[in-house]
Amino acid sequence: MARIRTIKPEFWTSGQVMELSRDARLAFIGLLNFCDDAGIHPASPKRLKAEVFPADDLDADSIAALVREMISCGLVAEYSFDGESFWIVTGWHHQKIDQPTYKFPRPDGTIPAGAPKRRNRVALLDPSTSIRRVFAEHSSNVRGVFTPGKEGKGKEKTTTPAPPIPLVAEGEPEVRRRRSRRDSQMSPEMAERFERFYECYPRKAGRAAAEKAFARLSPDDEQLGAILAALAVAKASREWLKDDGEFIPHPSSWLNGKRWTDEVQAQPMAYTETELAVIDAYNDAMPGEWSAAEREVFVPGRAAAIRDFLSLAPDKPDLPARYFSFCAESLAADPRYGLDWLLRRETYAKVREGAVKLKEGVQ
């Protein structure tokens, strides 16, 4: 079910948003509507297509390409838990939700329960034991600080909130015990700042160590703003984007090393000469019925797809011209398909095998 979301005026001039193609921007806004209240959506292009583009002539592959643009720009991250894949909006802290409800596990495996009107409660799912524990939440506006109820038998309930104490259940793993002690020492305001940082960080690993490093740093709002701004630049850097993020450091290492002060080589905002040559080869070879590829507007996802395509035969510089010429002779034009579709590894393999015959319909 769609939800009301906030789109601020600054959204349209955001550097990350401006890197998206027009359809990707619309798909991103639609994704916001259909995420749960933690900014999480199942990683299903078919589902997103049915939700956001029900009457449009787009297929799941086209939607997947739009999501890849969002991921390449750092607006969305993809992760897996318990065999299922999910997308999470990295800037979800911009959404202010009074009574949140949650459907899907976060990257650390926790699934908070919805916040009832009388008493907010949070359900913590321990992925290692599959035991569901429910605790009363200390504040409906602060995540990560909780307070168990203290009513005794035969006593009247009091409206005075109990102070937060460590949440340690009998038999709870030692890692979660240590995390609970640290959470109890972090102020609600600092806990909220940490959540903002951790939601934006693209690599969800070593949360306990990240919490410790963040508490030791104890940034104020101004310093947190500088950290988040540097993080946005780092997420668009070549180092963090290559090899599916293999070289992104753990958040604790990034914080301990004060890496937000580094000078980062941001991702280029224009195609290289090699990438432009591939675009030109496509435009020159394909007949007018095929959609032309824009060479002036830079799309990071398309640039990455071109580099991946060229890696299929690095010793054959004439591959693009020969491949697109063959496609022009063998395939009938279809408005749903264009350069991005032809660059995909799956399409390239099917074309070579003769498994794609658009003249007889898409297979």
Side-chain angles (χ1 to χ4, degrees):
M1 181 177 180
R3 296 166 177 81
I4 297 174
R5 302 303 187 199
T6 300
I7 303 295
K8 297 181 179 179
E10 294 81 9
F11 171 88
W12 304 105
T13 54
S14 164
Q16 291 171 289
V17 173
M18 291 171 65
E19 289 182 12
L20 297 176
S21 63
R22 182 174 55 190
D23 284 350
R25 288 196 294 272
L26 180 58
F28 181 57
I29 295 173
L31 179 65
L32 296 179
N33 272 132
F34 289 96
C35 283
D36 73 357
D37 289 339
I40 300 173
H41 188 284
S44 170
K46 183 179 294 185
R47 175 171 175 167
L48 187 61
K49 191 274 179 199
E51 291 169 338
V52 181
F53 299 101
D56 294 285
D57 193 12
L58 294 171
D59 61 2
D61 289 340
S62 300
I63 301 301
L66 299 179
V67 175
R68 285 197 296 271
E69 284 189 49
M70 303 176 205
I71 293 174
S72 68
C73 293
L75 293 167
V76 173
E78 184 170 337
Y79 65 94
S80 298
F81 177 76
D82 199 21
E84 295 186 63
S85 296
F86 301 92
W87 298 318
I88 183 170
V89 177
T90 59
W92 193 252
H93 58 274
H94 293 296
Q95 302 296 325
K96 304 302 181 183
I97 302 169
D98 293 331
Q99 297 290 332
T101 57
Y102 308 98
K103 293 183 178 180
F104 311 111
R106 293 177 177 178
D108 61 1
T110 59
I111 308 179
K117 292 185 177 180
R118 292 190 177 182
R119 172 176 293 186
N120 294 330
R121 302 174 70 82
V122 173
L124 182 63
L125 179 64
D126 186 340
S128 64
T129 61
S130 297
I131 299 174
R132 195 176 182 89
R133 303 184 180 92
V134 182
F135 302 104
E137 185 177 348
H138 179 61
S139 169
S140 61
N141 295 321
V142 179
R143 291 165 287 183
V145 181
F146 310 100
T147 305
K150 281 195 171 183
E151 295 92 1
K153 293 183 178 179
K155 297 182 180 180
E156 294 183 359
K157 294 183 179 180
T158 176
T159 57
T160 304
I165 62 175
L167 300 180
V168 182
E170 184 177 353
E172 192 171 14
E174 181 61 25
V175 171
R176 200 168 295 282
R177 286 196 186 97
R178 292 198 299 268
R179 182 182 297 176
S180 298
R181 287 196 292 270
R182 280 196 299 275
D183 286 348
S184 67
Q185 296 168 2
M186 190 181 293
S187 69
E189 184 178 17
M190 195 59 60
E192 184 177 11
R193 288 175 185 159
F194 173 77
E195 290 296 336
R196 290 175 59 191
F197 163 77
Y198 197 73
E199 286 178 3
C200 290
Y201 203 85
R203 186 171 188 178
K204 302 295 189 286
R207 180 185 173 105
E211 289 175 348
K212 185 176 181 179
F214 194 88
R216 186 164 51 245
L217 181 63
S218 189
D220 55 19
D221 285 333
E222 182 178 357
Q223 188 175 22
L224 177 61
I227 290 173
L228 295 180
L231 184 57
V233 174
K235 286 160 64 175
S237 67
R238 286 187 178 274
E239 182 180 5
W240 282 27
L241 288 174
K242 67 182 179 182
D243 296 331
D244 295 326
E246 180 181 351
F247 297 98
I248 299 176
H250 283 210
S252 58
S253 301
W254 196 79
L255 288 170
N256 287 330
K258 296 185 177 180
R259 300 292 299 276
W260 67 88
T261 62
D262 293 351
E263 292 186 7
V264 178
Q265 180 183 4
Q267 186 184 38
M269 297 302 293
Y271 293 113
T272 64
E273 291 299 323
T274 301
E275 292 161 358
L276 285 173
V278 174
I279 295 175
D280 291 340
Y282 166 83
N283 287 332
D284 292 342
M286 306 310 290
E289 293 82 4
W290 289 82
S291 58
E294 177 62 59
R295 71 192 311 275
E296 302 300 331
V297 179
F298 178 71
V299 179
R302 175 171 290 175
I306 292 174
R307 293 193 296 271
D308 184 61
F309 172 76
L310 293 175
S311 70
L312 296 173
D315 58 334
K316 297 180 180 179
D318 60 339
L319 171 67
R322 291 191 298 106
Y323 174 63
F324 293 135
S325 295
F326 178 81
C327 290
E329 296 173 358
S330 306
L331 308 181
D334 190 305
R336 295 173 296 174
Y337 299 91
L339 173 61
D340 297 320
W341 180 73
L342 291 175
L343 289 173
R344 294 174 55 205
R345 284 175 175 260
E346 304 94 301
T347 304
Y348 177 76
K350 289 181 178 180
V351 168
R352 290 193 60 183
E353 297 168 2
V356 177
K357 299 178 181 179
L358 292 186
K359 289 184 178 179
E360 301 174 6
V362 179
Q363 296 182 352

